Amino acid sequence: MSKFTMRLLIILAIGIAQNASLSPTKVILTQRTRDDRRNIQLVEFFTSVPNLQDFTVCYWLKSVNTTTRQSTFSYAAPNDPVAIATWIEPTIFGLQIRMAISGKEVYSVPYNIAYHHWYHLCHSWEGSSGRWLLYVDGELIGQGFDDTGRPLLIPGGGTVVFGQQQNNFDFSPDRPGGFQSSAGVEGEMTLMFFDSRPLRHDIRSLGASGNLKGEILGTKLTSDIEGNVWEINPESVDCFKQPLGDIVAWGVTQIELTGGAIMVQAKPSCGDF
């Protein structure tokens, strides 16, 4: 084991059941060494990724720096290092939440991410139609269709990383070119979720304002992933009783922390971890 890497085995004696109680932990990413030099920090999940036509990626994020690109999720497949990528990026028009598949940007949605504030983000993709959905704190802030070259099958067997952008499949923190040192999350993340099914909402239920009618219940985001409800109410004290993804399940899937990223105990209340 290299000095840059700390392996945490988080294998709990529980099945991957819906709405299980999860470990109240979070990951702190500074992207810097102890003497404040730029460094690469990330969370890798050791999991078996199938071929994907659809997917949903969700996580809680608190950023302390949005002046540079913040790569929140990266899936690198053999021969496709940017198979799936989500990130937040500053532009002349303000902050944009973005997603790319196979290196092609699917969407760029403006949203103001405030420093030191927790946000719950969900990115969803349905490959047969090219439909995408983006939720922040349970609110649908963007949706659309990208039917270029669809249907699209994303190859399985790759590597799953939160907090950094992968530039190649067989990465190594010790080998140049594996990551972008200026593209990592600076802040905290928790409750990472990666599932092989999409979120689905009837586009006909959208009002003129773009708000969903009857699809988002209070502050609970529901989906066709049976039984899944994300509780994002800041007053909730049961935030770690969340859905578990069938690819990545926080508190269940084995992880490795790289570059000085650390895991600490978290408070169970949503938005105040």
Side-chain angles (χ1 to χ4, degrees):
M1 185 182 301
S2 75
K3 64 180 180 180
F4 300 101
T5 301
M6 175 176 65
R7 174 161 295 190
L8 297 180
L9 300 181
I10 306 179
I11 305 175
L12 305 181
I14 59 175
I16 301 182
Q18 301 294 339
N19 296 315
S21 292
L22 308 182
S23 175
T25 54
K26 61 183 178 181
V27 173
I28 298 176
L29 303 155
T30 65
Q31 305 301 335
R32 297 186 182 277
T33 61
R34 289 184 178 180
D35 57 358
D36 204 36
R37 288 179 293 123
R38 195 75 193 182
N39 197 29
I40 293 169
Q41 296 180 347
L42 57 94
V43 185
E44 181 184 1
F45 285 80
F46 294 93
T47 185
S48 178
V49 181
N51 292 334
L52 295 170
Q53 185 171 2
D54 315 309
F55 64 83
T56 296
V57 174
C58 301
Y59 48 86
W60 281 91
L61 168 72
K62 182 174 75 172
S63 177
V64 299
N65 180 15
T66 55
T67 62
T68 61
R69 173 172 169 156
Q70 305 280 294
S71 296
T72 51
F73 173 81
S74 174
Y75 171 63
N79 303 316
D80 192 356
V82 194
I84 307 171
T86 67
W87 70 98
I88 299 166
E89 189 164 16
T91 72
I92 60 173
F93 305 106
L95 290 176
Q96 304 278 324
I97 302 175
R98 292 174 166 169
M99 184 175 78
I101 297 177
S102 295
K104 178 183 179 295
E105 186 173 293
V106 174
Y107 62 74
S108 181
V109 177
Y111 196 84
N112 182 36
I113 302 291
Y115 289 176
H116 302 285
H117 183 82
W118 282 101
Y119 295 90
H120 183 260
L121 290 88
C122 274
H123 311 258
S124 183
W125 170 257
E126 188 176 74
S128 60
S129 65
R131 185 179 187 189
W132 59 268
L133 300 169
L134 172 63
Y135 288 90
V136 177
D137 290 344
E139 178 184 358
L140 181 69
I141 68 165
Q143 68 171 327
F145 291 90
D146 180 351
D147 58 1
T148 307
R150 311 303 174 213
L152 174 69
L153 188 67
I154 300 167
T159 54
V160 175
V161 163
F162 282 82
Q164 260 288 349
Q165 173 63 49
Q166 301 175 80
N167 289 339
N168 53 55
F169 166 61
D170 186 20
F171 69 81
S172 168
D174 303 314
R175 188 179 69 239
F179 297 94
Q180 296 175 250
S181 62
S182 61
V185 167
E186 294 183 52
E188 302 176 10
M189 299 186 75
T190 190
L191 289 170
M192 292 77 146
F193 173 99
F194 184 23
D195 198 276
S196 63
R197 293 160 290 183
L199 299 174
R200 287 181 185 153
H201 292 292
D202 187 351
I203 196 169
R204 292 172 298 179
S205 68
L206 290 176
S209 66
N211 295 324
L212 286 169
K213 296 180 179 178
E215 296 290 350
I216 297 191
L217 311 177
T219 55
K220 294 184 178 181
L221 171 61
T222 62
S223 79
D224 70 331
I225 303 175
E226 185 177 356
N228 275 11
V229 177
W230 283 266
E231 176 63 76
I232 60 173
N233 187 337
E235 297 179 358
S236 172
V237 294
D238 201 16
C239 202
F240 282 84
K241 187 177 182 181
Q242 296 286 315
L244 299 181
D246 62 5
I247 302 174
V248 164
W250 182 251
V252 177
T253 308
Q254 178 183 338
I255 71 172
E256 181 173 301
L257 301 182
T258 294
I262 61 173
M263 179 173 287
V264 298
Q265 288 297 115
K267 292 183 287 186
S269 52
C270 292
D272 184 24
F273 300 106

